[in-house]
Amino acid sequence: MTVAKGHPSRRGVIGAINGAHHRTVLGLYMLIVLGHWAEHLVQAYQIWGLGWTRPQARGVLGMPFPWLVSSEWLHYGYAIVMLIGLFALRPGFVGRARTWWTVALVIQFWHHVEHLLLLLQVQTGFLLPGTTVPTSLAQLVVPRVELHLFYNSVVFVPMLIAMYLHLRPNDGELRQMQCSCSHESRRRMTLASSAG
């Protein structure tokens, strides 16, 4: 496999998920992201559409498993899975798509820091001054439900832009791509494999 100029040779798992398997892994990753979005949107509907109190509004999984909503390990686990996915899939993006994917990665890194702060408060029992429950820094000014809708939005929107651009690369970006995510890159790879 020829490596495009400006791209280091990638081997192993990272190389595989950013080459031949980029489209599949990206699709699986998006299923996880959309599942998480569904939880937040159902919780928001329970609060503002159905008029439930915040403790009653537990999303989809929180209804049969109420402990999930209050488990900082679960929230931190999702934040780290998001961060790892954004980091691991980043090498497969080029040009404009890579810029937008990096924006999502940077914002998710901060979101991860906020969840780490919450997890550390739960584990140590040490709370931020003036708080009575584990509280993130941004949560000092924005309620938790609204804050997480905001965080998920500001990570998700640049991801969507990145994927849109990734699937519709310009000629320069197409030459740099190592995956078959776009229709044109799949066509070129098919032609190259049939010629060789």
Side-chain angles (χ1 to χ4, degrees), residues 44-157:
Y45 177 71
Q46 290 169 338
I47 294 169
W48 297 302
L50 300 176
W52 295 7
T53 64
R54 288 172 189 254
Q56 289 175 311
R58 297 187 298 258
V60 177
L61 292 175
M63 296 310 289
F65 309 106
W67 60 270
L68 283 176
V69 175
S70 59
S71 169
E72 287 304 334
W73 276 108
L74 177 74
H75 295 287
Y76 179 76
Y78 177 74
I80 197 77
V81 164
M82 277 292 295
L83 185 62
I84 290 168
L86 285 164
F87 180 77
L89 289 162
R90 185 174 175 264
F93 289 87
V94 298
R96 300 165 301 155
R98 186 180 182 112
T99 299
W100 283 101
W101 195 260
T102 301
V103 168
L105 172 64
V106 169
I107 297 168
Q108 182 59 31
F109 177 77
W110 174 251
H111 188 187
H112 157 265
V113 168
E114 291 270 86
H115 276 291
L116 179 60
L117 179 61
L118 289 166
L119 181 64
L120 290 173
Q121 289 175 69
V122 167
Q123 295 303 306
T124 65
F126 178 79
L127 303 176
L128 294 180
T131 63
T132 57
V133 296
T135 308
S136 69
L137 296 176
Q139 200 177 333
L140 292 170
V141 291
V142 179
R144 186 167 180 150
V145 172
E146 290 85 347
L147 178 61
H148 281 86
L149 286 171
F150 171 76
Y151 272 139
N152 285 300
S153 297
V154 297
V155 171
F156 190 61
V157 168

Side-chain angles (χ1 to χ4, degrees), residues 150-190:
F150 171 76
Y151 272 139
N152 285 300
S153 297
V154 297
V155 171
F156 190 61
V157 168
M159 284 175 64
L160 286 179
I161 294 169
M163 288 186 300
Y164 177 83
L165 294 171
H166 185 64
L167 296 175
R168 290 157 185 82
N170 60 35
D171 288 338
E173 293 163 343
L174 187 59
R175 284 190 293 275
Q176 294 177 358
M177 290 177 76
Q178 298 296 307
C179 65
S180 62
C181 290
S182 79
H183 173 70
E184 182 60 22
S185 63
R186 283 194 308 277
R187 188 183 72 76
R188 287 185 181 186
M189 286 183 165
T190 302

Side-chain angles (χ1 to χ4, degrees), residues 31-50:
L31 284 176
I32 293 168
V33 172
L34 292 173
H36 185 72
W37 253 117
E39 285 291 328
H40 280 288
L41 292 176
V42 167
Q43 184 183 38
Y45 177 71
Q46 290 169 338
I47 294 169
W48 297 302
L50 300 176

